[in-house]
Amino acid sequence: KNIGISAGDLDLVVAARGPGSFSGLRIGMAAAKGLCAAAGCPCVSVPTLDVYGSLVPPGTGTVTAAVVDAKKNRFYAALYRDGERLTDYLDAEPGEIARLAAAHPRVVLTGPHAGLFLERLGAAGTAGNFLRDPDCRAGRSAVLLRMGMEAFEAGLRDDPSAGPLYVRPPEARPSDGGA
């Protein structure tokens, strides 16, 4: 309203799909779908780790490790080279991610929780071959938008029933009604 547009003016909604906080992902995806329903426009969601993993431009051969705190001394992570994901989306302890990264001589560590990841590795004495992205906590909304637009132009759209990308099953379960 403040900038003079309405839902009907939207042509596309781009959202981060996860992994991340279960509640945050559900709220974000519901908000994106609500905007799309009101605007009558498509939605494209992009995996959060892919956004962070695209930090290093293609052609450099540099490996990037994108990390997001998954709580309980675990991180959602993936390794990338030249914009291509080298691993599955992981839910792993810092040492496990460091062992995967050790196969590469230099790894740029990025993502909103890169500092926490390095703290946990340092405490375990396995700091490894990581170079920390100095802008690791910076928002990547411009990258998210670019990736969403590229997916849209390639003909990709989210199915209206699609939900967030969960790497770990939720801990909260429906009650069986028993005591």
Side-chain angles (χ1 to χ4, degrees):
K1 184 176 179 178
N2 290 342
I3 60 172
I5 64 171
S6 67
D9 296 324
L10 298 177
D11 296 317
L12 173 68
V13 173
V14 177
R17 180 179 358 180
S21 152
F22 289 108
S23 295
L25 291 174
R26 285 191 305 271
I27 291 167
M29 290 297 290
K33 288 180 181 203
L35 280 172
C36 291
C41 70
C43 180
V44 172
S45 61
V46 179
T48 307
L49 292 171
D50 291 358
V51 173
Y52 284 101
S54 70
L55 166 78
V56 177
T60 66
T62 301
V63 172
T64 303
V67 296
V68 173
D69 187 11
K71 307 296 182 202
K72 299 182 180 186
N73 197 38
R74 298 180 73 81
F75 289 82
Y76 299 123
L79 298 179
Y80 299 82
R81 180 186 300 118
D82 292 332
E84 297 295 322
R85 189 164 37 90
L86 302 175
T87 64
D88 287 333
Y89 299 114
L90 306 170
D91 172 11
E93 294 178 350
E96 185 180 341
I97 297 165
R99 283 188 290 283
L100 288 170
H104 308 282
R106 182 179 63 165
V107 179
V108 176
L109 181 67
T110 193
H113 303 108
L116 177 63
F117 178 84
L118 287 174
E119 285 176 25
R120 301 269 170 82
L121 276 180
T126 57
N129 55 337
F130 293 104
L131 302 170
R132 184 175 171 190
D133 167 19
D135 294 324
C136 61
R137 291 194 48 87
R140 301 279 190 240
S141 56
V143 176
L144 173 65
L145 180 59
R146 177 185 52 78
M147 292 176 78
M149 290 292 298
E150 288 170 358
F152 178 76
E153 289 167 358
L156 301 176
R157 315 282 189 277
D158 282 15
D159 183 285
S161 65
L165 170 61
Y166 295 126
V167 177
R168 174 192 305 165
E171 292 177 11
R173 305 264 186 223
S175 172
D176 64 6

